[in-house]
Every structure is written in structure tokens, then in C-alpha cells.
Amino acid sequence: MCAADQVGKSEAVNNCIGYAMDRDPGPVLYVYPDEQTAKENSRDRILPMIQSSPRLRGYLSGEA
């Protein structure tokens, strides 16, 4: 994806992953530039997205 900075690309990808989780759950490879960024995005963006959706919340196992 080629676009300007800070225009919602990451959020669009998160939404696609949420859609795929609901429609056809399976493994996802999400690549970040470093481990710290991956942890922050997982904690601050991905997990809240899953927890705020009743349908996606059902896929959580309770283990982290």
C-alpha cells in the first residue's frame, strides 16, 4: 500500500484482519519493524478492537 503518513492505513489493515477473524479464522502474520512496536500495537490497537466486538470477543481464549 502506498499512501501518505497518518492517513489510516494501519487501521484499515486492522479492520481487514478483524473481518477475516470473523469470517474464516486462521493464522495471521502481522509484521512490525521491531518487537516493541509489535507489543504496543497488539496491546493498544489489536486487543481493544477484538474486545470491543461481541463477535470477535468470542474468539479470545483468555490466555496471553
Side-chain angles (χ1 to χ4, degrees), residues 3 5-6 10 16 19 27 39 43 45-46 50 53 59 62:
D5 293 341
Q6 302 294 316
S10 295
C16 290
Y19 177 82
K39 287 179 180 180
R43 181 189 65 235
R45 294 177 182 238
I46 305 297
I50 294 169
S53 167
Y59 294 111

Side-chain angles (χ1 to χ4, degrees), residues 2-39:
C2 183
D5 293 341
Q6 302 294 316
V7 295
K9 297 180 299 288
S10 295
E11 201 59 38
V13 171
N14 292 347
N15 290 333
C16 290
I17 289 174
Y19 177 82
M21 287 173 63
D22 184 43
R23 294 298 175 191
D24 189 16
V28 172
L29 176 63
Y30 212 137
V31 179
Y32 287 103
D34 56 62
E35 188 174 350
Q36 182 64 30
T37 303
K39 287 179 180 180

Side-chain angles (χ1 to χ4, degrees), residues 36-49 51:
Q36 182 64 30
T37 303
K39 287 179 180 180
E40 289 172 358
N41 276 283
S42 176
R43 181 189 65 235
D44 299 339
R45 294 177 182 238
I46 305 297
L47 190 56
M49 174 188 72
Q51 291 173 331

